[in-house]
Amino acid sequence: MKTRFSSILAVVLVTSLAFPMGVLAGEVQFNPKGMDISVAFPSTGLHTDANVSSFIDSGVTYAINGGFFDAYYSTSAGYSYPDNAPRIFGPIIQDGDLINGGFTHNMVGFTSSGDVLIDRVTVTPMFYRNGSKDGSQIWVTNQLYTEGYSVSLMTDDFKNSFTVPTGATTVTVSNGVVTNINTNATQQVASGTTMLVFNSERVNMLRSYNAFLNVGDKITYGVDYTSTQNGNWNNVETAVTGGKILVMNGQNVGYDSSSYNVEFANEANQMDNASAARSYLGVKSNGEIILGTTTGTFPNIAANLVSAGCVSAISLDGGASSMLYANGSFQTSAGRNLAAILTFSGGTTTTTTTTTTNTTTTSTTTSSSATAQATAQATASKVLVDGSNVAFEAYNIGGSNYFKLRDLAEVLSGTNAKFSVSWDGANKAIAVNTGDAYTSVGGELATGDGQNKAATLSASTLYCNGTIQNLDAYTIDGNTYFKLRDLGQLIDFNVGWDSAQSLITITSSVGYDG
């Protein structure tokens, strides 16, 4: 059962913050009481990813990106768990059940009574045999480890097949009873069942004591939680794993690397002076929470949250995974497919202030008119960049092709038409500088689903070499797309069209010729 709190008040405040990639960023502040709180996944289940728009239900009021996952697996190599898949790393609790992970992590959880807990938590899944009160430890849920003594619990939340470690034995449990034991390398959990995966050394040890499971044994599951602040995690209904804890007991601990944040001590992008795209969740003493995205260092973000009245706060996955959704639109669009998001549904919004970009400066260029709402047809044409075939997620709107700015920056990096893309905090706009090297942020050249989409005219502001540009742009599934020929003229690369072959050509060594 999803978390449902008692009140129906949700007060919202959206504020503007500087964020890279030209995507609106900000904060939403509301009281979660009376809301359904859940972790949403792609329809393909755990350890898969998808465009976040495809798994935000129509009833969702607010959403932010969830736990950390492997965003850098090879999509071209084909899905294979656990070797090549968008694996979610830390624990996730859904409907009161641990459906992913184990061990010790920083987490944010929501209890059935309305408490929001942020803490460092040791999560230990257990199984109990034939009514015994003495449980046996499971290492993790819906994850696999190669260590010989590992035991994993796989549930039907994980919908794909998987390869168990060499020598492992699997035990299928249906309706609380062991129904099958086998040693097949490839497995899949049937709907309504669970599967225990015992690695070889654990199997050998249990069999040496004549203690391995048998068909017909009765099995129940549980989880032991131990937290630094001694919060009642047994009452948590929904939870995701975060990154650095930023605020604890009203104090800024964003710089801490010895207790709460020990595992981040040697990560370059987690250092005190490392500024990057961040997502975060803060809790105020009155029960309101703040969801936000920005660019900054953890200590500075934590200081701002303390000033806003937060008594606890935690960072979530950042970089291109940063995403914030409020009241039907993206305040910050994810730069890549995501594997999980934290959602808040229902409640009554009483106040909303929408983030806007600065569009008051006079434009020095003009573009053709565009309609506020349009149908974006997935571009089926082949695209050659300097003679090489490149797969883009591109769309045709009103007879013109629209591309993502960072996709083009990625493929033109190192050519005569190279350009950088960044966020201009002073003007709250996308900044493009021709001739500068491009720095990848992850998520470039992600493939689409080939389907037509709804497109909304974008208010994104773009500066090129310090001068504001007035270019047609559309938001499609939370991402901003610009007209290819406009970008060709702006950056000065050639755009060609061969109607006989339905072929788009982009040539970096030849300037734009109209």
Side-chain angles (χ1 to χ4, degrees):
M1 183 172 66
K2 291 182 180 178
T3 304
R4 180 168 290 282
F5 298 142
S6 56
S7 169
I8 60 171
L9 176 64
V11 180
V12 184
L13 172 66
V14 182
T15 58
S16 176
L17 295 172
F19 193 79
M21 301 170 61
V23 183
L24 299 179
E27 290 180 345
V28 292
Q29 180 176 309
F30 59 96
N31 193 322
K33 294 182 183 297
M35 305 189 82
D36 284 333
I37 303 173
S38 185
V39 185
F41 306 96
S43 61
T44 43
L46 275 173
H47 304 306
T48 66
D49 60 5
N51 187 299
V52 68
S53 296
S54 68
F55 58 101
I56 291 184
D57 292 340
S58 59
V60 170
T61 310
Y62 313 110
I64 195 165
N65 51 293
F68 292 76
F69 71 103
D70 182 3
Y72 301 105
Y73 74 103
S74 173
T75 56
S76 61
Y79 183 95
S80 175
Y81 187 85
D83 299 323
N84 191 58
R87 295 171 294 128
I88 300 173
F89 297 129
I92 290 177
I93 300 172
Q94 182 80 298
D95 299 331
D97 295 325
L98 178 68
I99 65 169
N100 190 72
F103 305 116
T104 302
H105 297 270
N106 295 338
M107 299 181 66
V108 54
F110 300 83
T111 73
S112 55
S113 60
D115 295 325
V116 186
L117 305 181
I118 291 177
D119 208 345
R120 187 161 181 80
V121 187
T122 299
V123 180
T124 307
M126 307 285 292
F127 76 90
Y128 301 85
R129 180 184 186 185
N130 295 327
S132 173
K133 294 182 180 180
D134 296 324
S136 298
Q137 181 177 343
I138 300 169
W139 281 32
V140 283
T141 299
N142 283 319
Q143 294 181 1
L144 295 171
Y145 284 87
T146 58
E147 286 81 354
Y149 281 95
S150 172
V151 181
S152 299
L153 170 63
M154 307 297 288
T155 75
D156 60 0
D157 298 287
F158 182 47
K159 302 179 185 300
N160 291 287
S161 61
F162 52 90
T163 302
V164 302
T166 301
T169 297
T170 62
V171 176
T172 299
V173 179
S174 179
N175 296 319
V177 178
V178 174
T179 58
N180 184 267
I181 298 174
N182 68 57
T183 57
N184 295 338
T186 302
Q187 298 285 350
Q188 188 164 13
V189 181
S191 178
T193 71
T194 59
M195 183 179 292
L196 289 164
V197 180
F198 293 84
N199 285 7
S200 58
E201 291 180 43
R202 178 61 65 91
V203 172
N204 293 337
M205 184 269 289
L206 290 173
R207 284 182 171 157
S208 70
Y209 291 100
N210 197 28
F212 195 71
L213 299 181
N214 299 304
V215 171
D217 281 346
K218 295 180 180 179
I219 301 296
T220 57
Y221 300 110
V223 183
D224 288 341
Y225 297 102
T226 304
S227 61
T228 302
Q229 297 291 314
N230 298 315
N232 192 354
W233 281 79
N234 290 316
N235 289 337
V236 166
E237 292 285 319
T238 304
V240 296
T241 298
K244 271 194 168 185
I245 289 180
L246 304 177
V247 180
M248 185 59 71
N249 298 321
Q251 301 297 311
N252 182 343
V253 296
Y255 53 83
D256 174 271
S257 60
S258 60
S259 54
Y260 296 116
N261 302 315
V262 62
E263 70 264 44
F264 305 110
N266 297 315
E267 292 190 21
N269 64 349
Q270 308 289 321
M271 296 297 182
D272 291 353
N273 61 352
S275 181
R278 312 291 192 190
S279 297
Y280 53 88
L281 185 153
V283 184
K284 300 177 69 175
S285 59
N286 63 1
E288 292 180 354
I289 64 174
I290 296 175
L291 307 180
T293 54
T294 189
T295 296
T297 66
F298 286 125
N300 286 343
I301 294 170
N304 290 336
L305 291 171
V306 170
S307 297
C310 287
V311 294
S312 60
I314 191 170
S315 66
L316 299 169
D317 198 359
S321 295
S322 297
M323 184 279 295
L324 180 62
Y325 175 91
N327 299 310
S329 63
F330 288 93
Q331 304 302 307
T332 301
S333 300
R336 59 166 64 104
N337 288 347
L338 297 183
I341 58 175
L342 183 62
T343 66
F344 302 80
S345 304
T348 302
T349 299
T350 60
T351 306
T352 302
T353 303
T354 305
T355 316
T356 58
T357 53
N358 180 4
T359 58
T360 59
T361 307
T362 303
S363 172
T364 58
T365 63
T366 59
S367 64
S368 61
S369 61
T371 57
Q373 301 288 333
T375 298
Q377 298 179 325
T379 297
S381 303
K382 184 178 180 180
V383 183
L384 293 183
V385 179
D386 292 338
S388 297
N389 186 29
V390 178
F392 291 90
E393 182 178 10
Y395 294 91
N396 189 288
I397 303 173
S400 298
N401 289 297
Y402 286 75
F403 284 63
K404 295 179 190 175
L405 188 62
R406 284 187 175 271
D407 284 356
L408 288 168
E410 179 79 11
V411 298
L412 292 174
S413 179
T415 72
N416 292 338
K418 66 183 178 182
F419 62 96
S420 65
V421 181
S422 60
W423 178 248
D424 183 341
N427 291 307
K428 297 181 174 62
I430 306 166
V432 167
N433 285 288
T434 58
D436 288 353
Y438 174 69
T439 301
S440 300
V441 298
E444 290 89 351
L445 298 172
T447 56
D449 58 12
Q451 302 299 308
N452 295 345
K453 308 285 186 180
T456 304
L457 197 62
S458 173
S460 294
T461 305
L462 185 147
Y463 281 76
C464 183
N465 299 329
T467 302
I468 194 170
Q469 310 295 318
N470 182 24
L471 305 183
D472 288 348
Y474 281 94
T475 299
I476 304 169
D477 276 352
N479 295 308
T480 303
Y481 290 75
F482 290 90
K483 189 183 295 184
L484 179 61
R485 287 193 178 275
D486 284 353
L487 294 176
Q489 183 176 13
L490 186 69
I491 308 300
D492 197 27
F493 58 80
N494 185 265
V495 178
W497 168 246
D498 185 332
S499 58
Q501 301 183 65
S502 186
L503 176 66
I504 300 168
T505 59
I506 296 172
T507 307
S508 65
S509 60
V510 179
Y512 185 78
D513 62 6

